Amino acid sequence: MKHTIVMTGASRGIGRAAAEHVLRQSPDAHLVLVARGSSGAQLAAELGAGGHPVSHVSADLGSLAGVGSAADKVRDRLDRGDLPPLRGFVGNAGVQYTNALAEGPDGFEATFAVNVLANHLFVRRLQDRFAAPARIVLTTSDTHFGDFKHNMGMVPGPVWKSPEVLARTGAFPKPDTAAGGRTAYSTSKLAVIYLVHEYARRLPAGIDAVAYNPGFVPGTGLARNAGPVARFAMRRIMPVMALTPFATGPGVAGRYLADVVLGTTHAPTGSYVDRSRAAHSSQESYDPQREGELWEAAERFTAAYAAKAETFSGDVTGTPR
């Protein structure tokens, strides 16, 4: 049955591999890529070269107005019948900065804006257009554990605070340092899991929400906003680590992501998928109070851009574990 999957972060690395795998494994899927300007058109042309149905909408994911506009374009195309029923959204785009002081056009800290608010706004604007069975997949990171076992000490663990604080620049100690930027990243990925748990409570039956962790993946474009030393390490040193048991290559991680999106990997709503299987996320990631507070804050932050969205039905599926 023909269906639509909307995807962010498909231009390189894990996302590119996932998009290619989706098109191979699900020829009935129309893949709508969300990307900046002309790069989206070029990417759609490359992925659709084999006759696969691929199109794009342009968006700056750091801008809530841009995200809302992109989501509305998808809604309009669905309503006109230009796209088959919507059965998937993949929020794979993510950023990591060299500090916690980068501010987006809406006044929010840039990591939080892209990794958290952009995903939430997409889900809210598209929620009443999903046709069950459907799946929302948001890419998280095992940096949310904050221990050596999961990230070999390369990224500080999350430091949770009120969402109103996290959404603004300077939320962490030494915000002008790389450690501050990495803390903003790991904290944003903990927030992603909180949102997935809240979606699992609020989304109607048949629309599942899943958090996907690709593990440590050297050679991706995540460090494109990092300093020269970090970029050199990611380009030259980290790819060698892909040969070790601690790492996952972009191609494999992309295939795992596609399997989650397509439902090949068994993952009930609210699940945390660690690479190829559902698993437990960190103990800290199960906190209904924080999840509810983040939901309410994200609603306020995106209210001006989600005004047309209908409220969730309020169906409760229970606290995910």
Side-chain angles (χ1 to χ4, degrees):
M1 182 181 298
K2 294 185 181 301
H3 59 280
T4 295
I5 297 174
V6 177
M7 184 174 186
T8 71
S11 60
R12 59 175 67 85
I14 298 170
R16 177 65 180 258
E20 292 171 349
H21 193 74
V22 165
L23 294 172
R24 285 196 301 270
Q25 297 300 314
S26 184
D28 289 334
H30 184 125
L31 192 59
V32 178
L33 307 172
V34 181
R36 284 178 179 266
S38 59
S39 64
Q42 180 179 347
L43 179 62
E46 292 173 0
L47 291 173
H52 300 293
V54 183
S55 58
H56 81 287
V57 292
S58 179
D60 173 4
L61 295 178
S63 161
L64 293 179
V67 172
S69 176
D72 284 346
K73 289 175 182 176
V74 175
R75 285 169 59 94
D76 291 344
R77 292 178 63 188
L78 288 164
D79 292 345
R80 292 196 306 267
D82 294 344
L83 292 173
L86 178 63
R87 297 195 186 277
F89 171 73
V90 188
N92 180 63
V95 295
Q96 179 179 308
Y97 289 88
T98 55
N99 56 56
L101 297 174
E103 186 176 271
D106 304 295
F108 298 112
E109 192 275 321
T111 311
F112 191 87
V114 174
N115 297 359
V116 182
L117 296 182
N119 284 322
H120 184 68
L121 184 52
F122 258 117
V123 171
R124 290 291 275 145
R125 291 299 295 126
L126 296 178
Q127 69 188 44
D128 58 352
R129 294 300 190 272
F130 283 104
R135 180 168 279 194
I136 295 164
V137 181
L138 304 185
T139 298
T140 183
S141 166
D142 52 10
T143 60
H144 86 276
F145 280 92
D147 57 16
F148 186 85
K149 175 183 176 181
H150 288 88
N151 62 64
M152 293 174 285
M154 293 186 296
V155 180
V159 177
W160 191 259
K161 299 183 179 183
S162 163
E164 284 76 9
V165 174
L166 295 176
R168 306 300 174 179
T169 59
F172 307 103
K174 299 181 180 179
D176 58 335
T177 67
R182 291 176 186 141
T183 303
Y185 177 79
S186 62
T187 305
S188 75
K189 292 305 185 178
L190 175 61
V192 165
I193 299 175
Y194 286 154
L195 282 182
V196 164
H197 290 173
E198 199 66 18
Y199 296 152
R201 296 187 184 96
R202 294 175 179 267
L203 287 165
I207 304 176
D208 296 343
V210 177
Y212 165 69
N213 166 45
F216 172 54
V217 185
T220 67
L222 185 62
R224 59 187 174 275
N225 295 310
V229 175
R231 290 200 303 270
F232 175 82
M234 289 296 288
R235 286 198 310 268
R236 303 298 184 185
I237 300 173
M238 296 303 182
V240 177
M241 296 185 67
L243 303 176
T244 73
F246 298 104
T248 306
V252 174
R255 174 167 58 82
Y256 288 157
L257 173 55
D259 287 344
V260 177
V261 174
L262 297 175
T264 305
T265 297
H266 176 69
T269 189
S271 292
Y272 171 81
V273 174
D274 181 15
R275 283 157 274 210
S276 62
R277 61 183 181 84
H280 289 289
S281 49
S282 70
Q283 183 175 351
E284 185 181 10
S285 70
Y286 300 103
D287 191 322
Q289 181 175 343
R290 288 183 180 180
E291 291 158 9
E293 290 174 351
L294 178 61
W295 164 269
E296 295 296 338
E299 288 287 279
R300 291 195 301 275
F301 298 152
T302 62
Y305 309 97
K308 298 178 183 178
E310 298 175 3
T311 58
F312 279 128
S313 63
D315 292 342
V316 176
T317 59
T319 302
R321 282 294 181 268

